Short mmCIF file of all heavy atoms in Angstrom, two decimals:
data_model
loop_
_atom_site.label_atom_id
_atom_site.label_comp_id
_atom_site.label_asym_id
_atom_site.label_seq_id
_atom_site.Cartn_x
_atom_site.Cartn_y
_atom_site.Cartn_z
N ARG A 8 53.29 127.17 43.30
CA ARG A 8 54.01 126.85 44.59
C ARG A 8 53.66 127.86 45.69
O ARG A 8 53.38 127.45 46.78
CB ARG A 8 55.54 126.87 44.42
CG ARG A 8 56.01 125.62 43.72
CD ARG A 8 57.51 125.62 43.70
NE ARG A 8 57.95 124.38 43.00
CZ ARG A 8 59.07 124.26 42.46
NH1 ARG A 8 59.94 125.21 42.38
NH2 ARG A 8 59.36 123.14 41.86
N VAL A 9 53.67 129.17 45.26
CA VAL A 9 53.24 130.23 46.27
C VAL A 9 51.79 129.95 46.65
O VAL A 9 51.52 130.10 47.89
CB VAL A 9 53.49 131.58 45.58
CG1 VAL A 9 52.83 132.69 46.46
CG2 VAL A 9 54.95 131.88 45.41
N LEU A 10 50.91 129.71 45.81
CA LEU A 10 49.51 129.47 46.12
C LEU A 10 49.35 128.25 47.05
O LEU A 10 48.65 128.30 48.03
CB LEU A 10 48.66 129.30 44.84
CG LEU A 10 47.17 129.13 45.06
CD1 LEU A 10 46.64 130.30 45.84
CD2 LEU A 10 46.49 128.87 43.72
N GLY A 11 50.09 127.20 46.79
CA GLY A 11 50.06 126.05 47.57
C GLY A 11 50.58 126.32 48.96
O GLY A 11 50.01 125.89 50.08
N VAL A 12 51.63 127.08 49.12
CA VAL A 12 52.20 127.45 50.48
C VAL A 12 51.12 128.32 51.21
O VAL A 12 50.91 128.13 52.40
CB VAL A 12 53.60 128.24 50.36
CG1 VAL A 12 53.93 128.91 51.65
CG2 VAL A 12 54.58 127.31 49.80
N LEU A 13 50.48 129.27 50.54
CA LEU A 13 49.47 130.10 51.27
C LEU A 13 48.33 129.22 51.73
O LEU A 13 47.81 129.37 52.83
CB LEU A 13 48.96 131.14 50.26
CG LEU A 13 49.99 132.27 49.99
CD1 LEU A 13 49.39 133.21 48.93
CD2 LEU A 13 50.25 133.08 51.27
N VAL A 14 47.85 128.23 50.91
CA VAL A 14 46.80 127.41 51.28
C VAL A 14 47.17 126.63 52.57
O VAL A 14 46.36 126.43 53.43
CB VAL A 14 46.40 126.45 50.13
CG1 VAL A 14 45.44 125.34 50.55
CG2 VAL A 14 45.70 127.21 49.04
N LEU A 15 48.34 126.04 52.56
CA LEU A 15 48.84 125.34 53.68
C LEU A 15 48.90 126.23 54.93
O LEU A 15 48.58 125.74 56.02
CB LEU A 15 50.22 124.64 53.41
CG LEU A 15 50.24 123.47 52.54
CD1 LEU A 15 51.66 123.05 52.16
CD2 LEU A 15 49.49 122.32 53.12
N LEU A 16 49.42 127.51 54.78
CA LEU A 16 49.45 128.36 55.89
C LEU A 16 48.05 128.61 56.40
O LEU A 16 47.83 128.62 57.68
CB LEU A 16 50.09 129.65 55.47
CG LEU A 16 51.64 129.55 55.45
CD1 LEU A 16 52.19 130.92 54.88
CD2 LEU A 16 52.21 129.35 56.82
N VAL A 17 47.08 128.86 55.62
CA VAL A 17 45.73 129.11 56.10
C VAL A 17 45.18 127.89 56.75
O VAL A 17 44.61 127.92 57.82
CB VAL A 17 44.84 129.58 54.83
CG1 VAL A 17 43.40 129.51 55.26
CG2 VAL A 17 45.26 130.97 54.35
N ALA A 18 45.40 126.77 56.17
CA ALA A 18 44.95 125.49 56.84
C ALA A 18 45.59 125.27 58.12
O ALA A 18 44.97 124.82 59.10
CB ALA A 18 45.15 124.29 55.91
N ALA A 19 46.90 125.45 58.24
CA ALA A 19 47.60 125.30 59.44
C ALA A 19 47.24 126.22 60.54
O ALA A 19 47.19 125.86 61.72
CB ALA A 19 49.12 125.32 59.19
N THR A 20 46.98 127.47 60.29
CA THR A 20 46.59 128.42 61.31
C THR A 20 45.16 128.50 61.58
O THR A 20 44.73 129.00 62.60
CB THR A 20 47.10 129.84 60.93
OG1 THR A 20 46.36 130.28 59.73
CG2 THR A 20 48.55 129.90 60.73
N GLY A 21 44.34 127.99 60.66
CA GLY A 21 42.87 128.03 60.85
C GLY A 21 42.38 129.41 60.58
O GLY A 21 41.16 129.64 60.88
#
Side-chain angles (χ1 to χ4, degrees):
R8 282 186 183 157
V9 169
L10 183 58
V12 168
L13 287 174
V14 168
L15 285 174
L16 282 173
V17 167
T20 63

